[in-house]
Amino acid sequence: MNHPENDTPQSATRQRLTALLSKAELQAVTERSNLAGLWAVASIWATIVAVFAFSAWAMQLPPLWRTLCWLLAIVVLGGRQLALAIATHEGAHRTLFATRQLNDHLTDWLCGRPIGLDLFKYRQHHFIHHTHTGTNDDIDLSLIQGLPTTRRSMVRKLTRDAFGVTGLKFLIGRFLMDAEYLKWTVASHYEWLPRQSVAHHLACFFKNAYPTLLTNIVLFAVLYTAGHGELYWVWVLAYLSPYPLFIRIRAMAEHAATERTTDMLKNTRTTRAGFLARALVAPLNVNYHIEHHAMASVPWQKLPALHRILRHKGLVNSPPGYLDVLKLVSSAPAKNADQPEGA
């Protein structure tokens, strides 16, 4: 399959960047590893299992402490759901594993489907984003449109995310896309498809959604067999609340309030991530986003090395932290409160 990033202003910039790296540097940062991919997937699921075990243990605690433990579990699971999404993103670029079949199928079933993502549809969508980043044709532009906004507006957005309003809209949108009422997307805009019979749309839903339904039934069955089927709701609540919140913060950090240009060093942002950020909003080095757009063939475990090379060559600066980005994207003066809001 031809990569749709060919013959674009971005690809020309990418070729110039590639020319700055020695052959040894280029080989080192683009080397893919099945072992690294297996570690990424296994560590994500190991943490998910540990969170469920922690939640089961917390059931013996007094109500207040049990609730606090479950809230913590929901937050951590939301971060791991984002990690599954980022692993799917890596598989879409075929950089999670060295083996094509593992990138395409293992990643799809173990990472994408449990959180409602279709790797193959996502790949087609995401490559358009890479081709048109920083332009009006960027398919993900709605994720950052209207930013920076006011602090009050940003608080409203984050509050809707934290209390599940965004997650419920997200879940309804997933149903409508799987039923083919809406065109499939991971952006915030939507496009209605021609309306057909209810039977047709139900058939489309089960055809498109059965892998997600199946993987979630398996997850529930495992919890039920372990005597804690009710803990599946912890997974659902994580999906409805912190997961959309973490998606928003990650998306804003990557492209919001950057220049509208085809220069990937200016239309994309790398963000400094500490332990908490890596656990919740920046799994698998996704915070090294300039490096990812500069060379999408670089696997997740090599992005820090590419960042050091680009820093050494003076092509990128010291990155801001996530709090710095949140301040930037909520820095619009109050008089602009009526401007269109980002997703």
Side-chain angles (χ1 to χ4, degrees):
M1 182 177 74
N2 291 330
H3 198 298
E5 293 177 17
N6 292 338
D7 302 324
T8 67
Q10 288 88 346
S11 67
T13 305
R14 187 172 296 109
Q15 291 166 12
R16 290 197 298 271
L17 289 174
T18 302
L20 294 175
L21 274 65
S22 68
K23 185 176 180 180
E25 288 174 329
L26 189 60
Q27 183 176 357
V29 298
T30 57
E31 184 179 9
R32 304 171 192 189
S33 167
N34 284 337
L35 185 61
L38 289 170
W39 163 253
V41 176
S43 63
I44 293 168
W45 277 105
T47 305
I48 291 171
V49 170
V51 170
F52 280 126
F54 172 75
S55 301
W57 169 82
M59 295 184 72
Q60 64 185 321
L61 300 177
L64 175 61
W65 287 104
R66 181 170 63 242
T67 300
L68 291 175
C69 287
W70 283 356
L71 287 174
L72 175 62
I74 288 169
V75 170
V76 175
L77 276 183
R80 294 305 83 194
Q81 288 170 345
L82 179 59
L84 290 175
I86 300 305
T88 304
H89 164 263
E90 286 286 317
H93 283 283
R94 296 198 173 99
T95 53
L96 186 60
F97 295 98
T99 304
R100 183 187 182 105
Q101 292 300 314
L102 293 178
N103 278 309
D104 285 356
H105 301 295
L106 186 85
T107 306
D108 189 35
W109 280 94
L110 290 186
C111 301
R113 299 300 185 166
I115 55 171
L117 283 177
D118 180 326
L119 181 143
F120 300 97
K121 290 180 180 178
Y122 175 76
R123 177 180 286 149
Q124 184 177 17
H125 173 102
H126 187 63
F127 282 172
I128 298 174
H129 163 63
H130 270 263
T131 302
H132 298 292
T133 307
T135 73
N136 291 332
D137 295 323
D138 186 349
I139 201 167
D140 285 347
L141 191 60
S142 60
L143 293 172
I144 58 167
Q145 204 154 21
L147 297 174
T149 187
T150 64
R151 181 171 298 180
R152 178 177 295 182
S153 174
M154 183 58 61
V155 168
R156 287 199 302 267
K157 297 175 195 296
L158 299 183
T159 301
R160 289 197 299 264
D161 297 341
F163 283 91
V165 176
T166 305
L168 283 173
K169 292 169 61 179
F170 187 66
L171 199 60
I172 293 169
R174 283 278 173 233
F175 170 79
L176 293 174
M177 286 187 288
D178 284 335
E180 298 187 7
Y181 285 105
L182 291 176
K183 184 178 179 180
W184 196 94
T185 182
V186 293
S188 297
H189 70 281
Y190 59 88
E191 179 181 337
W192 290 100
L193 297 174
R195 189 69 58 87
Q196 302 191 48
S197 69
V198 173
H200 170 83
H201 288 294
L202 284 176
C204 289
F205 172 76
F206 286 107
K207 178 190 70 173
N208 292 318
Y210 87 87
T212 293
L213 297 174
L214 179 59
T215 51
N216 277 265
I217 288 170
V218 169
L219 178 59
F220 171 76
V222 170
L223 292 169
Y224 182 83
T225 302
H228 295 288
E230 68 279 6
L231 291 183
Y232 179 72
W233 287 106
V234 178
W235 178 261
V236 174
L237 290 172
Y239 189 80
L240 292 177
S241 178
Y243 177 49
L245 173 64
F246 298 156
I247 288 176
R248 184 188 298 277
I249 293 172
R250 189 220 80 219
M252 291 190 301
E254 291 172 356
H255 296 290
T258 58
E259 292 187 31
R260 295 294 292 276
T261 173
T262 57
D263 185 345
M264 68 190 66
L265 299 179
K266 297 179 180 179
N267 63 28
T268 307
R269 179 186 294 108
T270 285
T271 311
R272 186 177 67 257
F275 172 79
L276 189 61
R278 293 196 301 273
L280 301 180
V281 297
L284 301 185
N285 295 323
V286 73
N287 54 300
Y288 292 101
H289 214 61
I290 288 177
E291 293 74 17
H292 170 64
H293 272 260
M295 295 183 66
S297 58
V298 176
W300 67 274
Q301 71 274 17
K302 302 286 187 176
L303 289 171
L306 179 58
H307 175 73
R308 290 191 293 270
I309 292 172
L310 296 183
R311 285 283 298 276
H312 179 71
K313 296 180 182 295
L315 294 175
V316 297
N317 299 318
S318 178
Y322 279 88
L323 288 178
D324 299 321
V325 174
L326 285 173
K327 290 177 182 177
L328 174 63
V329 298
S330 59
S331 62
K335 65 180 181 180
N336 291 338
D338 294 331
Q339 67 182 9
E341 295 186 358

